[in-house]
Amino acid sequence: MRERIEKREAEIAVIGLGYIGLPTAIMFADAGFNVVGYEIRKDVVAKINRGNSHIVEPEIDYLLKNAVESGKLRATSNPGDIKDKDIYIICVQTPLRQDKTPNLEYLEDAVRTVAGAMKKGSLVIIESTVPPMTTSRMAELIEKLRGFKAGRDFYMVHAPERVMPGRIFKELVYNSRILGGITEESAELAEVLYRSFVKGQIFRTNSTTSEMVKLMENTFRDVNIALANEFAFLAHQYGIDVFRAIELANTHPRVRIHTPGIGVGGHCLPKDPYLLLSSAREDFGLIQKAREINEDMPLMAKDLLFDALKAINLPPEEAVIVVLGLAYKGNSDDTRNSPAYAFIEAIRDDVAEVRSYDPYVEGSHRSLEEALKDADAAVIATDHTEFRGLSWEELGKLMRNKVLVDGRHLIDEPPKGFVFRGIGRGEY
Ligand code: SAJ
């Protein structure tokens, strides 16, 4: 198998052609392998086979066209097309259920499909983010379904993706990679495979460690953001600007405090701490508490808004509120788990009207000016570059009342004539 990989003769099937699966399939095709992408959405398959991407990502159109036109990559919805491959790479989503427990249905379905298609000697790789110990459980599932023995009849590896949307093709090549094998040989084979395009460092370990590594990275960030958010709460009590305090604290060589804000969104940070805890036997206070703090941040923004409305004697039920930004982070069109929506949910029943405007996402209004016309308050929920340096004194002329709430620290000086509140900005 090692030789087949080195000579690019190994046949690869990528299961799930989403944000991670499609770029990964393209990279392997570009490295010279024959790749079949398996995807249950038939419209996505048809589009990819025409050389068109269904996801937005720099460079993807050109790279996909090349891969499809060279005959190295094709997509399919037919499980028969992924039979007897040497390598299977699973890139499906692992979302949370309503009750915050992991929903591993997509992963299990993918593993069942692979179990039915693979041959003796295949290498099965899971790139999806999964709760600790899932890879070895999936190996057991394959053993049960096929009667193969893990480590003897097939190889299995957890190879977490670590890329950031918008930079996927760069980060796939240059980021370091963690490969967690259920056996050492599994990880060694995966290393030969990923070396075909990875220029960053490659570290081998066991699969439960690599599962933990991935979840720890995002939990580290989530807990640190929660700490910054707690500092913001304290700053309100003590009447100081937390951002100035953080700036000063971060002049210490060993301190790097994160940025407080209206909430933590996206497809990773709000989910991964729960995946990390889901296989544990006891409750863990810090990680759980951090999640609660971050999930409550839209409510802090609500408190600030209502406090400002009170200051102008406007009952909330008469107020027209404009939410600026729907994406979960700046300069992105991605709205998954965006705190902007949690904020809208939190105020919707208490106010007269909620409007929204986002230059990247369809909101209720198409322009900032249109959204602000005769409104009472604007709330900044996303740090889009477009929202920096706006002339609020001009924009204020369109509004019925002038309340501005900054959930992302985009406003340095409160604009004249406005009642201003900002997360972490102490008293105004
Ligand atoms: N946020 C804050 N304060 C901060 C940093 C972020 O409130 O100091 C908020 C953002 O506004 C956003 C959310 O947190 O709503 C998440 O943004 P992010 O930029 O931290 O992360 P993601 O979800 O876009 O990408 C993360 C990355 N992980 C780490 O930086 C440890 C990325 O490298 C991973 O590949 C990705 O998760 C993933 O797929 O797991």
Side-chain angles (χ1 to χ4, degrees):
M1 171 78 126
R2 192 189 178 102
E3 221 180 281
R4 281 175 65 71
I5 298 174
E6 277 165 352
K7 290 188 175 156
R8 308 289 193 261
E9 285 167 6
E11 301 260 322
I12 300 179
V14 174
I15 319 297
L17 295 176
Y19 272 94
I20 302 300
L22 182 57
T24 301
I26 291 173
M27 291 310 287
F28 281 115
D30 189 56
F33 292 96
N34 279 321
V35 183
V36 181
Y38 176 78
E39 166 61 57
I40 49 178
R41 291 171 291 180
K42 293 213 164 77
D43 53 327
V44 169
V45 167
K47 204 164 176 195
I48 291 172
N49 284 335
R50 287 195 302 269
N52 297 322
S53 171
H54 65 107
I55 61 169
V56 180
E57 179 65 27
E59 295 177 82
I60 196 162
D61 295 326
Y62 153 81
L63 291 168
L64 176 62
K65 257 204 166 55
N66 267 355
V68 171
E69 278 170 13
S70 68
K72 289 284 174 197
L73 173 64
R74 72 192 168 87
T76 182
S77 296
N78 177 7
D81 291 341
I82 57 166
K83 229 173 157 28
D84 295 333
K85 298 291 167 195
D86 300 288
I87 297 161
Y88 294 89
I89 305 177
I90 298 175
C91 303
V92 295
Q93 51 169 330
T94 48
L96 290 180
R97 296 182 198 280
Q98 208 69 37
D99 65 357
K100 315 271 190 204
T101 58
N103 174 0
L104 299 180
E105 273 169 30
Y106 301 95
L107 179 70
E108 281 171 17
D109 282 352
V111 170
R112 282 173 203 281
T113 304
V114 168
M118 67 195 277
K119 57 183 180 184
K120 264 197 180 165
S122 292
L123 165 62
V124 181
I125 298 174
I126 297 178
E127 286 217 12
S128 312
T129 305
V130 294
M133 304 195 299
T134 300
T135 304
S136 45
R137 283 192 190 128
M138 293 301 131
E140 282 165 23
L141 181 59
I142 294 175
E143 287 182 333
K144 205 175 95 196
L145 293 169
R146 279 303 290 269
F148 290 167
K149 179 92 190 85
R152 185 190 69 196
D153 300 328
F154 68 98
Y155 305 98
M156 191 136 179
V157 170
H158 179 242
E161 59 81 12
R162 303 164 103 191
V163 294
M164 188 159 258
R167 298 177 44 84
I168 292 181
F169 287 101
K170 278 190 198 72
E171 295 206 354
L172 274 176
V173 175
Y174 294 103
N175 283 6
S176 55
R177 226 41 227 228
I178 314 293
L179 303 175
I182 54 159
T183 56
E184 267 178 42
E185 220 185 336
S186 299
E188 279 164 20
L189 272 184
E191 176 166 7
V192 181
L193 176 69
Y194 281 94
R195 252 309 153 231
S196 63
F197 67 81
V198 172
K199 297 203 170 86
Q201 281 180 289
I202 294 182
F203 301 95
R204 281 181 271 124
T205 181
N206 63 54
S207 59
T208 306
T209 304
S210 72
E211 292 163 341
M212 280 281 284
V213 168
K214 168 68 192 182
L215 297 169
M216 280 160 47
E217 289 166 4
N218 283 342
T219 301
F220 165 87
R221 205 158 160 78
D222 196 48
V223 170
N224 276 285
I225 298 168
L227 179 63
N229 284 333
E230 191 145 289
F231 288 153
F233 274 101
L234 287 166
H236 279 280
Q237 293 191 13
Y238 298 138
I240 64 147
D241 181 335
V242 81
F243 294 95
R244 177 67 179 145
I246 289 174
E247 191 186 350
L248 295 174
N250 284 349
T251 62
H252 186 290
R254 286 176 296 285
V255 173
R256 247 272 312 126
I257 299 171
H258 285 54
T259 312
I262 192 167
V264 174
H267 50 300
C268 304
L269 269 58
K271 173 188 88 161
D272 288 359
Y274 289 115
L275 294 189
L276 179 59
L277 298 181
S278 66
S279 305
R281 278 192 294 271
E282 320 163 21
D283 286 345
F284 286 85
L286 177 62
I287 297 171
Q288 181 67 40
K289 183 72 193 165
R291 259 303 66 227
E292 283 162 22
I293 292 171
N294 290 340
E295 283 166 9
D296 277 350
M297 289 312 287
L299 298 180
M300 183 186 198
K302 178 181 179 179
D303 284 349
L304 292 174
L305 170 66
F306 282 27
D307 184 55
L309 294 176
K310 200 168 164 198
I312 60 166
N313 288 320
L314 182 67
E317 58 273 20
E318 289 173 23
V320 175
I321 314 297
V322 184
V323 175
L324 297 182
L326 291 169
Y328 85 90
K329 69 179 187 181
N331 305 331
S332 158
D333 66 345
D334 195 336
T335 57
R336 285 176 289 181
N337 296 315
S338 176
Y341 291 101
F343 174 72
I344 291 171
E345 272 316 301
I347 63 167
R348 194 192 292 283
D349 292 342
D350 301 326
V351 301
E353 184 187 343
V354 185
R355 301 175 183 170
S356 59
Y357 167 70
D358 188 305
Y360 299 87
V361 183
E362 201 177 322
S364 65
H365 286 67
R366 267 182 226 196
S367 78
L368 182 62
E369 288 74 13
E370 204 185 287
L372 288 174
K373 194 160 174 0
D374 298 325
D376 298 300
V379 180
I380 301 175
T382 309
D383 48 345
H384 289 314
T385 308
E386 283 87 343
F387 295 156
R388 285 180 205 276
L390 288 174
S391 169
W392 279 102
E393 276 156 46
E394 282 304 306
L395 291 170
K397 291 179 188 157
L398 301 169
M399 298 172 71
R400 186 168 63 182
N401 280 296
K402 293 190 223 170
V403 166
L404 179 60
V405 177
D406 185 359
R408 291 290 184 191
H409 193 220
L410 296 192
I411 308 288
D412 287 330
E413 278 299 308
K416 277 202 197 73
F418 273 79
V419 173
F420 177 81
R421 298 285 185 278
I423 285 181
R425 302 296 287 278
E427 285 174 342
Y428 278 102

